[in-house]
Amino acid sequence: MGGGRAVQKPIEIVVYGAEQICASCVHLPSSKDTFEWLTAALERKFPHQPFKMTYVDIYDPPEDKEKKSFASRVIEEELFYPVVLVEGKMVGEGNPRLKVICEEMEKYGYKAP
């Protein structure tokens, strides 16, 4: 096998957003649209390399303590959403860039063909 490390376990990418578009992001796609676009783009970029995509509505977060806590942070700190986290590290806010997200995934062993 080639150099670099292979994906050990599927990482989790979490997109935090809301139904309503962020006031500073009116010209951008909705959080849900961004989530769907990002999922499709990453599946194309890293085929046959599993990862978990999770969408969290900041106004209706799941019971998961970490996700609930970060959803509150998005609201309290008035972060531009959608906010994208890769394994807990914030890599995008408002208008997340695919390149930055891919670079973070590569640190976990993901490789583009």
Side-chain angles (χ1 to χ4, degrees):
M1 214 162 122
R5 58 179 230 233
V7 176
Q8 297 299 313
K9 69 172 186 77
I11 62 170
E12 183 177 25
I13 298 163
V14 185
V15 177
Y16 289 85
E19 286 290 316
Q20 184 182 346
I21 292 178
C22 169
S24 306
C25 310
V26 241
H27 59 286
L28 298 173
S30 73
S31 298
K32 206 66 162 160
D33 287 344
T34 299
F35 173 77
E36 288 165 9
W37 161 81
L38 191 56
T39 301
L42 293 174
E43 284 171 350
R44 278 193 307 274
K45 179 92 173 157
F46 302 110
H48 314 295
Q49 298 170 70
F51 53 88
K52 181 181 179 193
M53 292 291 297
T54 306
Y55 178 80
V56 174
D57 184 316
I58 58 173
Y59 296 108
D60 187 21
E63 283 306 310
D64 178 293
K65 189 179 169 190
E66 240 174 73
K67 289 181 175 64
K68 200 173 205 154
S69 168
F70 193 83
S72 297
R73 188 177 151 198
V74 172
I75 297 166
E76 288 162 15
E77 295 180 19
E78 297 180 354
L79 300 175
F80 297 133
Y81 50 85
V83 177
V84 180
L85 269 58
V86 173
E87 284 294 293
K89 179 181 177 188
M90 188 163 44
V91 293
E93 182 188 353
N95 186 13
R97 295 191 44 216
L98 185 60
K99 183 177 190 274
V100 176
I101 295 165
C102 290
E103 285 170 357
E104 188 63 26
M105 289 179 74
E106 286 165 1
K107 292 177 185 173
Y108 290 89
Y110 288 82
K111 289 189 180 10

